[in-house]
Amino acid sequence: MANSSDHNAEVLTPTPGERLTHFFARRDVKRTTVLFFLWTALFVVLGLVFYPKWMPEIMSKEMKSAESIMIWFTVISAPIAGLVLAIATNSFMDMHRGDNPPEDGPAIRTHGPIVAVWTVGSLVFALVAIAWGLIEVNSQAVAAASDAKSAITVEVTGSQWLWTFNYPAQGIETHELNLPVGVPVIFDVKSADVNHSFWPVQLGVKVDANAQVTTVIHTTPTKVGVIEVKCAELCGLYHAYMETNGAVMSPSDFNAWVLAQGGHTA
Amino acid sequence: METATHNEVSGGKRLASAIAFLFLGVAVVATVGFTLHSVSKESQPKTYATVNGTVTVDGKELPHAFISQSVFPDDASARANNVNRTNTHPWPFYTDSHLVLPAHSVVTMTLKVYDGGEELNTNYFAKVVGTIDNMMTVDGQQVSSLPPTEVQHTFTLHGLPTSTQEPLFVNVPLPKVQDADMEKNGSHLVVFSFVTGGAGEYVWNCEYPCGDGTYAKFGAVMGQNGYMSGKVSVVNG
Amino acid sequence: MSTSTKSKDVARPVPNPKRSLITRLHMGTGVVVGVILAAIVYYLLKKSLLTYTDGAADPLSPHDNNILLLGTMFTWSIGFMIGIGALIGPWRWLVGKDLTDEEILYMAGDGQGVKRYFKYCTDHKVVGIQYLVGVMTLLGVGGTMAMMIRTSLARPGAHFVTPTVYNSLVGLHGITMIIAMIIVATGPFGNYIMPIMIGAYDMAFPRLNALSWWVLFTAIPVLCSAWFLGGIPTGWTAYAPLSIQAGPGMNAFIATIIIFAVSTAVAGMNITTTVVAMRTKGMKWNRVPIFVIGSTISVALAIPAFPTFMVSMIMTGLDRTYNTGFFDANMGGSGWLYANLFWIMGHPEVYVILIPGVAALMEIAPVFVRKPLFSYNAAIMGFAGIAGLSILVWAHHMYIAGWAPSLNGAFMVTTEMISIPTGLLFLVLIGTLWRGKPWMKLPMLSIFAFIWDFLIGGITGIYLSDVPADGYLHGSMFVTAHFHFTLMGAALTGAIGGLAYWYPKMTGRMLNERAGYISFWFVQIGFNVLFFGMFMAGAEGQPRRVLDYAALYKNSNLISTIGAYSVGIGMIILLWAVIHSARHGKVAPMNPWGAKTLEWTVPYPVPLTNFDELPIITSDPYGYGKGK
Ligand code: HEM
Ligand SMILES: [Cu+2]
Ligand SMILES: [Cu+2]
Ligand SMILES: [Cu+2]
């Protein structure tokens, strides 16, 4: 009995390797595989090309980290998107037209291993995203803490519909945001009225401005250039115009600017 | 719809009905758009600055443009104080809201201001910023700022600085008319000049919280176009 | 699955000859009573609020004006409900003489033809059609506003409308669409189809069903009145303190939300009870059609969510009328309190919108692929997982609010976890597609569109849920594009698929196919172009809700506007098809798609009580396929 059944098994049950070869020899599987690579490649290219092209100049670590998340999460999700779209496209190409329904397909109700693999796969994917985010958040917090001593402070006030900046150590008050390159900066943000959101675009950070409380955000400008300051929270009539310029400049230029504004350098 | 009898129509008729419906739909949306557009436009008649001669600033000779307007209190206090106004509004207002200024010029603006005032929300706006030498004249006297508690409205000009247009920022606080003078139809005359860059579209608004009775006093009149806010177009030629 | 139906005529009681009050009330009397009562209350309130100096009336203070307007709006709503006869039943019950059988039959609209659509009609099929018309109206109004927004953004310079009008357009487009999308599937299909699907004579609470629709109806004129009261400056999120500062138009927003919350609570309880208690014999939980499961989870999720919105609006209303200062930091309140309340509603709400749309497509997939639904259990786990997690993620909308930066990590974890149940939804759909030959009809096309659109929405959502990327993207056009991919690309596409699928049962005719395809491609291609442009603008750094933008963004905005017009044209064509086919379409057979759910076993017009004899269920409705 035992012998014969062993013998049968050898003949009838293909080895996993054989099953795999059979599987990939199927027409629909072949086509899906090709589609999978095409769609995956498309998403990789989308992520690598479009975001760097669209996003403004990167002038801080935070901005860099935002951009990398957008690019690399697209790349990581590309195979998943590729698989979903490959199966969908494959099915689309097999479509049946006409006024009567097609023949019934195979009565596959579920497939335990596939559901399990898919679930574990998406869990791993979610964990990667979470880990990535937590590490970034943590390293930004650590950097902020260690930079705090050498940082300059800018008190930002949002008023309907203008930003003003107070540099307490320099004793100046302005409507344009100039910063020295390479020096950590702490923004203490508040509002004179409704909620606003302080967004120095090229620095890649943002925090809401609220009445009566101060919210804080840190960054270190890493590059000299023009920055735009916008409001990212709807604040009424002229929200669209609640924008101002600024610049990241060399420390000597910054000092010269401070003096020209009637302030003093440390 | 009660009983489904055969009501089918010919292909031609169906196509005609579809096309007619499409046009009708587009027409309805377009009409809504047109209505909104025309309702929107009215509130902003343009006021042009007039160029008269030239003036030299920082060694450069530039055309000199002039524009003037008034700032009036709301209806109730105007009535109580016999202020003469060209038109009436329930709210305080600048007489002109859409200003057109020449590019690369010195613009001298004269404001006759009639309203009383209180305190600013943000003291920065008590400073004169962006005018020539950051100065203005109030009733003939040169000043560079006002006490933040003595302000009646501000003229604050700004724009989208990130576009191809040059940044332009001007802030002028207007001195309030003291309560005692309000009754005598008192006023101040404020004059200031600033230099425009290239052509561009900007906005101005008032930073004095005159939308009384609402949160931060920035509702009511402050949330409406054309009383305490408007456009500034800087144009070539 | 086997069903047993016998065709025998039920003896109908003769309607009550002495016409009781019920027979005389309808929408018209509702409007009349509503308007008269509102006018009286307006007059009395105004009289009591006015103060005089020297004989002349002073203008009302903003607070008093808010009291006046809110009072009038709520009175209109209550007055309308009285006038249409909503209170007759409860009143009779109070005085101890419940409605007679004739009256109940009358209220179900028996034998009243088209008139019953304008009455307080308890027939779930009538309510379903009412919801369908309501949804299409709201989508039309919201869509028109979308066209206005895009026209205004077509080029820089704010040449089209003033800031006041623009801000109102954005906010009212937002809230109109949100309301429409919340009811887009559970309203028409949840009411018309679902009771038949589970083999019930009617909903559990037919009168509440009529109530939910007509209460919602009273909110529509209230919302529209915002335009005549100066608009709203706050967007659909109505953040405080901006909402406290806002002008009289804000009262319309507040009243609308409160009225709408009543309607959804009633509808939610009704649908949930119906599904729990009224499934026919043999329909065990593992045999319930997936659309029913999805809709039930969606409305069950709405039951705790909307009261939170209602409460936040009541508090806003109190701040605006009696200066209570809940959200006013200068009085010890906090705007963050509002933001929390709002998003505790707001995040579950996006899944309230999404789930029924996906569930409708899951119902459709097996029929058109002729295969069983792949892993029914995974689908249920997907919906349940999403629903469960969705109440724990709200503060991902507040990463940069400054409220609790130290909680950002925790909310990031819960948010990213949602990709697991979401992944299951994709698995169910592609698993069903695999090795099948899809029958290429309009409902099937929607599945393909859904897969693409929801994928894009999902991937971009992953960046937004990671704190550092949100630090850049929050409040930008990127967010706007992301949520349109999920709300419109996924949920609305699902609902349109559902409409094409159930249209024959709801109208007795087939939806015009050619027009359906043309509309589909106009909408889908336009949609992708439209929001590709917005992704681009957002990544470039354009904030959302702005009426003017720098020249840098002019290409991306032009792309968006072109796409939007294409969507608009497509939607008009779809609307034509829906209206035209209802009268002139091909007459539909009883089961045009060869589906196995119960709604296809009843004829059109569906009899008043759906089934003469309730069917008995012996299997789930997905027994397609050969082999195994
Ligand atoms: C014809 C199709 C549509 C177009 C062209 C369109 C376009 C727009 C635009 C341009 C905005 C303003 C963007 C901004 O500045 O933030 C917007 C906002 C919005 N849309 Fe749509 N939309 C469409 C359909 C929908 C649908 C179907 C929904 C369904 C829920 C929806 C929900 C919203 C919401 C919630 C907002 C946010 C409003 C706010 O910021 O307060 N839209 N839409
Ligand atoms: Cu803003
Ligand atoms: Cu003012
Ligand atoms: Cu959310």
Side-chain angles (χ1 to χ4, degrees), chain B residues 1-2 5 7-9 14 17-18 21-22 25-26 29 33 36-37 40 160 162-163 213-215 218-219 223 225 231, chain C residues 116 148 157-165 241 245 328 330 509 512 549-551 572 576 580 583-584 586 604-605:
Chain B
M1 251 167 68
E2 269 305 279
T5 49
N7 256 340
E8 288 173 37
V9 293
R14 202 180 314 127
S17 132
F21 191 87
L22 183 60
V26 172
V29 176
L36 278 182
H37 182 58
S40 278
L160 292 171
T162 50
S163 56
T214 45
Y215 180 84
F218 249 73
N225 309 91
K231 281 190 175 186
Chain C
R116 67 195 199 279
M148 302 297 105
H159 302 288
F160 189 59
V161 293
T162 55
T164 323
V165 173
Q245 186 185 77
D328 182 347
N330 304 303
R509 290 169 184 274
N512 186 314
Y549 51 84
I572 296 175
W576 172 81
H580 190 266
R583 286 187 54 88
H584 303 296
K586 261 199 227 114
Y604 181 87

Side-chain angles (χ1 to χ4, degrees), chain C residues 343 347 350 393-394 396-397:
Chain C
W343 288 113
H347 197 86
V350 304
V393 300
W394 77 91
H396 62 209
H397 298 270

Side-chain angles (χ1 to χ4, degrees), chain A residues 240-261:
Chain A
Y241 300 105
M242 191 162 164
E243 301 198 358
T244 185
N245 310 46
V248 174
M249 34 180 71
S250 68
S252 57
D253 284 355
F254 178 75
N255 286 343
W257 173 75
V258 169
L259 293 177
Q261 297 289 312

Side-chain angles (χ1 to χ4, degrees), chain A residues 61-62 134-148 218:
Chain A
K61 270 223 306 274
E62 284 75 10
L134 287 179
I135 290 169
E136 285 287 347
V137 168
N138 189 47
S139 74
Q140 286 177 10
V142 170
S146 67
D147 290 346
H218 313 250

Side-chain angles (χ1 to χ4, degrees), chain B residues 21-135:
Chain B
F21 191 87
L22 183 60
F23 275 105
L24 186 72
V26 172
V28 168
V29 176
T31 310
V32 173
F34 188 76
T35 312
L36 278 182
H37 182 58
S38 42
V39 169
S40 278
K41 239 183 163 173
E42 252 172 315
S43 63
Q44 306 201 326
K46 290 179 184 166
T47 309
Y48 293 84
T50 45
V51 179
N52 190 356
T54 61
V55 62
T56 308
V57 176
D58 288 341
K60 263 197 284 180
E61 193 176 311
L62 297 170
H64 198 177
F66 295 87
I67 192 165
S68 56
Q69 59 169 321
S70 311
V71 182
F72 287 118
D74 60 288
D75 245 1
S77 47
R79 232 187 302 131
N81 300 306
N82 304 316
V83 177
N84 297 316
R85 297 177 305 168
T86 44
N87 47 8
T88 61
H89 281 304
W91 287 320
F93 62 98
Y94 279 74
T95 43
D96 304 285
S97 82
H98 190 168
L99 313 178
V100 184
L101 311 175
H104 301 292
S105 308
V106 173
V107 176
T108 295
M109 193 163 178
T110 307
L111 290 175
K112 191 103 193 274
V113 300
Y114 294 90
D115 206 357
E118 275 167 13
E119 200 179 341
L120 285 169
N121 283 347
T122 305
N123 290 348
Y124 180 79
F125 301 109
K127 291 201 295 186
V128 184
V129 185
T131 62
I132 292 173
D133 297 332
N134 292 333
M135 294 295 244

Side-chain angles (χ1 to χ4, degrees), chain B residues 140-157:
Chain B
Q141 292 218 308
Q142 290 263 331
V143 291
S144 66
S145 69
L146 297 175
T149 48
E150 296 292 313
V151 177
Q152 71 156 285
H153 312 290
T154 75
F155 179 81
T156 310
L157 193 171

